[in-house]
Amino acid sequence: FMYPGLSMLLVATACFAVLLFGPVTVGGMRFDTNTLLVCAVGIMAGFQLLLLGLFSEVFTGVTGLLPFSRLATRILHMDAFEKGILSGGVLFLAGAVCLVLALLKWKNTGFGDLSYSDTLRLIIPSVTGMSLGIQIMFGGFLLAVLGLGDRDFQNSSGDQTQ
């Protein structure tokens, strides 16, 4: 999960960053907002695979299926919930700001017709940022929940302890 997800995320993000500022022509082919949208989906899919890999690393260590990896140990000790809420919230808010900018742009036209290319250069990053922000927030929450299995909740008599 990790390597394919990271590869997809990096390639899609690099292409996304290039297309964010305008169309690009390579070898007579013009890449524009349709390709930007494909890159956004690649970013989200790559990030999902990366999260799945992180969840798997922690789960296999917590359940004893495999020894704890260095990555799983680091994840369990990083305050995933708090960091996920903070970083995901910042990314969500950045996406929301782009959405507000797009709405203001639309308002300036009297809520009439818009140039799709210009508007989508705001809308696609907006929904991508908001989606990733939500994934990060809830991914951090799930990592924190998975980390609960690393604690000894039962004493020798089987009663719950704090």
Side-chain angles (χ1 to χ4, degrees):
F1 300 122
M2 301 285 280
Y3 294 119
L6 186 59
S7 299
M8 185 184 299
L9 180 63
L10 291 176
V11 169
T13 301
C15 294
F16 187 92
V18 169
L19 290 168
L20 195 57
F21 301 104
V24 174
T25 303
V26 177
M29 294 189 313
R30 186 170 191 254
F31 299 96
D32 202 351
T33 52
N34 290 336
T35 310
L36 183 66
L37 182 59
V38 171
C39 292
V41 172
I43 289 169
M44 289 188 278
F47 190 76
Q48 278 292 314
L49 285 171
L50 195 58
L51 275 182
L52 188 57
L54 292 174
F55 297 152
S56 298
E57 286 281 326
V58 171
F59 178 78
T60 56
V62 167
T63 59
L65 292 171
L66 293 173
F68 274 102
S69 66
R70 285 193 318 232
L71 179 60
T73 303
R74 287 177 57 197
I75 290 169
L76 287 173
H77 294 95
M78 69 177 240
D79 299 323
F81 179 71
E82 292 84 1
K83 288 183 180 172
I85 292 293
L86 181 63
S87 59
V90 167
L91 191 54
F92 182 87
L93 286 174
V97 166
C98 284
L99 185 59
V100 168
L101 291 174
L103 288 171
L104 290 174
K105 194 172 200 172
W106 187 31
K107 180 184 175 210
N108 290 340
T109 67
F111 298 104
D113 292 339
L114 294 168
S115 160
Y116 282 115
S117 181
D118 293 338
T119 308
L120 288 176
R121 281 207 164 61
L122 285 172
I123 296 293
I124 293 171
S126 171
V127 296
T128 303
M130 293 170 72
S131 298
L132 288 176
I134 290 169
Q135 289 180 42
I136 291 169
M137 285 188 278
F138 286 96
F141 181 73
L142 181 56
L143 286 171
V145 168
L146 287 173
L148 293 175
D150 189 37
R151 299 181 184 159
D152 183 18
F153 283 98
Q154 300 199 355
N155 63 21
S156 60
S157 66
D159 294 335
Q160 295 267 340
T161 60
Q162 294 184 12

